[in-house]
Amino acid sequence: MPFKPAGLVTLLSAAVYIGSAPAVHALQNGVGRLPALAYNTWNAYQCNINQDLIVTTAELIVSLGLQDAGYNRVNLDDCWAMKNRTTDGSLEPDTTRFSKGFNWLTNQLQSMGFQAGIYSDSGWYTCAGYPGSFEHEAQDAETFQNWGFDYLKFDNCYIPYDEIIREGVYGKYQRMSNALTNLSETTGQPPILFSLCEWGADQPWLWGASVGHSWRTTNDVTATWSSVASIINANSFITQATNFYGHNDMDMLEVGNGNMTYDEYKSHFTAWALMKSPLIIGTNLSAIANDSLEILKNQEILAINQDNVYGTSISPFRWGINPDWVSNASYPAQYWSGQSENGTVFMLLNTLDEPTDMFFNLTESPWIRAGIQYNVRDLWTHTDNGTAVRNFTATAVPPHGVLALLLTEAGDEPAGTMPLCAVWSQCADQNGTYVQG
């Protein structure tokens, strides 16, 4: 994410899909229906970008197998523009760093099978001080489309005075939303995927679906466990906002970009993917380690993120070391589950600094049926691990590590399984007598 000017709150962004439906309704025409799988330049390169770097990065995405894994978009972030608009008010790419122009660049990306994304800002300037799109929304939307971009990340720096803008944050973003909607209606071309950077204080998960597809929910991620844990914690309370037409965007993937452990990177990727966040790689791919690369390419985890039947996030069914519904940035919820087209997904997250065993009763998840035994698939070891009856125990989950499981029905429980109810609360006989554990 771009540098934030002093005095502004920490940046929060959102990926929002804008189409031809009325602005007050969530868009449901199938475009942008699933979370984006993409690469973004900011975290690895910030302002040090040019046309050769973008093409080289795209070539790496192909050669490293990431495109085959599903990452099909390359997004430019801040600092691509000249410092001033042209005499007719148009934006212009930096004539030195992008000397061949953006039509050349997007043609290169598209010839390799990628879609292309670009960056702008809802204020006077971008966060790095380049021209923003305020009062140029329609002009810039047309420019981006003419250049061949179909994704726009839209930031929130250098906000005009109240007496000028006369809008809340929703209205401020609606300006570009309307411009993109009108452009699609006028040209008949597919609508541009709109990625809002909003900073979260205005709770975009409450209103984002009325203007688009997804939205950032937290501060910028950094490649530290404390940052990852705090983002997981914040998102644990808003999972109900996620579906096919509204995704909580947890910011970029920092896998391999810092000094986290292998298990922490796995937890980072697993949480982002299973919570249906857009998966936007922010790592320098020329230096990525093989184990980090394999994390990003885990097809069984990616399949949950890209599920065509269930668009909802996993949610906590038990917080674990804290009482349920406790917000703790260092120790977020530990027991999660959700639906998928192939079974019930579980995420067990060890937030402690030492290995620990993690136990749960299957029916603590609302998606599990009582009286049924379940096949257990480990989505990281890619192994089938027998059947679970009534409960499951994961032993020695590593510090800040994760277990991702897929449970599928394997028939009725064995005859005579006791106790009569796995969870004793309100367990009753037909005559109304409560059964005690």
Side-chain angles (χ1 to χ4, degrees):
M1 256 337 196
F3 170 78
K4 270 70 77 179
L8 294 180
V9 295
T10 308
L11 182 64
L12 195 64
S13 83
V16 175
Y17 165 74
I18 304 300
S20 58
V24 294
H25 299 297
L27 281 302
Q28 298 189 20
N29 67 359
V31 179
R33 182 172 177 266
L34 298 175
L37 299 181
Y39 184 89
N40 180 282
T41 59
W42 182 258
N43 285 18
Y45 302 107
Q46 299 192 7
C47 286
N48 298 314
I49 57 173
N50 58 55
Q51 60 201 13
D52 294 333
L53 174 70
I54 303 304
V55 173
T56 298
T57 298
E59 291 171 344
L60 282 168
I61 296 171
V62 174
S63 65
L64 294 172
L66 289 165
Q67 186 184 57
D68 287 342
Y71 297 92
N72 62 359
R73 182 180 295 282
V74 179
N75 297 337
L76 282 70
D77 212 287
D78 207 345
C79 309
W80 56 263
M82 297 295 288
K83 282 288 189 176
N84 296 296
R85 290 176 178 268
T86 63
T87 55
D88 68 354
S90 297
L91 291 169
E92 184 180 14
D94 186 289
T95 54
T96 299
R97 292 183 289 119
F98 296 96
S99 60
K100 296 181 180 179
F102 276 162
N103 288 110
W104 176 88
L105 182 61
T106 58
N107 284 339
Q108 291 295 305
L109 294 174
Q110 291 160 9
S111 71
M112 289 186 277
F114 292 105
Q115 296 172 291
I118 198 167
Y119 168 97
S120 190
D121 194 284
S122 60
W124 298 118
Y125 302 97
T126 71
C127 296
Y130 293 80
S133 289
F134 182 66
E135 295 185 335
H136 289 270
E137 289 86 358
Q139 183 180 24
D140 290 354
E142 184 175 0
T143 297
F144 299 146
Q145 186 176 79
N146 289 340
W147 281 339
F149 294 103
D150 64 359
Y151 177 105
L152 173 61
K153 177 179 175 181
F154 210 52
D155 225 326
N156 194 34
C157 288
Y158 295 98
I159 300 169
Y161 296 148
D162 290 359
E163 65 181 20
I164 296 172
I165 196 165
R166 299 185 183 276
E167 294 280 8
V169 67
Y170 171 84
K172 183 162 70 75
Y173 281 100
Q174 191 67 51
R175 296 168 66 98
M176 181 55 85
S177 165
N178 290 340
L180 296 175
T181 299
N182 293 337
L183 179 66
S184 178
E185 292 174 344
T186 300
T187 65
Q189 296 187 41
I192 289 175
L193 193 66
F194 191 26
S195 170
L196 276 72
C197 297
E198 185 279 324
W199 302 351
D202 296 283
Q203 300 178 312
W205 49 89
L206 297 179
W207 51 265
S210 67
V211 294
H213 177 252
S214 59
W215 43 87
R216 272 281 303 282
T217 56
T218 62
N219 298 341
D220 296 355
V221 67
T222 61
T224 63
W225 175 249
S226 61
S227 174
V228 168
S230 68
I231 290 173
I232 294 172
N233 174 67
N235 279 266
S236 69
F237 299 97
I238 55 173
T239 59
Q240 69 276 10
T242 295
N243 55 48
F244 284 126
Y245 304 100
H247 294 279
N248 290 325
D249 178 359
M250 298 163 71
D251 200 15
M252 285 177 253
L253 290 169
E254 287 286 76
V255 174
N257 220 25
N259 296 315
M260 288 196 291
T261 68
Y262 174 70
D263 289 304
E264 289 170 342
Y265 284 134
K266 283 174 58 180
S267 296
H268 172 25
F269 179 76
T270 301
W272 266 236
L274 302 190
M275 295 173 79
K276 303 299 178 75
S277 173
L279 299 180
I280 303 176
I281 300 170
T283 306
N284 181 344
L285 295 179
S286 66
I288 191 169
N290 286 334
D291 57 358
S292 294
L293 187 62
E294 291 308 310
I295 289 173
L296 295 171
K297 292 162 61 175
N298 185 326
Q299 286 297 295
E300 294 194 71
I301 299 291
L302 288 169
I304 306 301
N305 182 262
Q306 298 291 296
D307 193 312
N308 273 301
V309 177
Y310 293 97
T312 51
S313 166
I314 60 169
S315 298
F317 60 84
R318 175 154 47 95
W319 258 246
I321 64 171
N322 287 313
D324 293 349
W325 300 103
V326 169
S327 178
N328 188 319
S330 299
Y331 301 99
Q334 295 180 287
Y335 295 86
W336 304 64
S337 71
Q339 294 172 289
S340 84
E341 60 181 318
N342 294 316
T344 301
V345 182
F346 285 84
M347 181 176 77
L348 308 183
L349 185 68
N350 178 15
T351 62
L352 302 176
D353 298 331
E354 62 273 343
T356 190
D357 294 347
M358 301 184 71
F359 167 90
F360 65 95
N361 288 309
L362 300 188
T363 54
E364 289 184 77
S365 166
W367 316 118
I368 290 292
R369 292 201 296 153
I372 304 293
Q373 59 183 326
Y374 283 81
N375 294 318
V376 179
R377 174 76 175 176
D378 188 314
L379 302 182
W380 278 108
T381 63
H382 309 297
T383 56
D384 296 319
N385 295 355
T387 56
V389 179
R390 293 287 180 94
N391 55 61
F392 183 88
T393 300
T395 59
V397 180
H400 305 163
V402 71
L403 200 66
L405 305 172
L406 184 68
L407 269 61
T408 55
E409 294 186 10
D412 294 341
E413 290 179 348
T417 299
M418 294 296 289
L420 296 173
C421 295
V423 180
W424 286 98
S425 176
Q426 296 295 315
C427 185
D429 205 328
Q430 188 174 2
N431 65 10
T433 301
Y434 282 116
V435 180
Q436 302 299 315

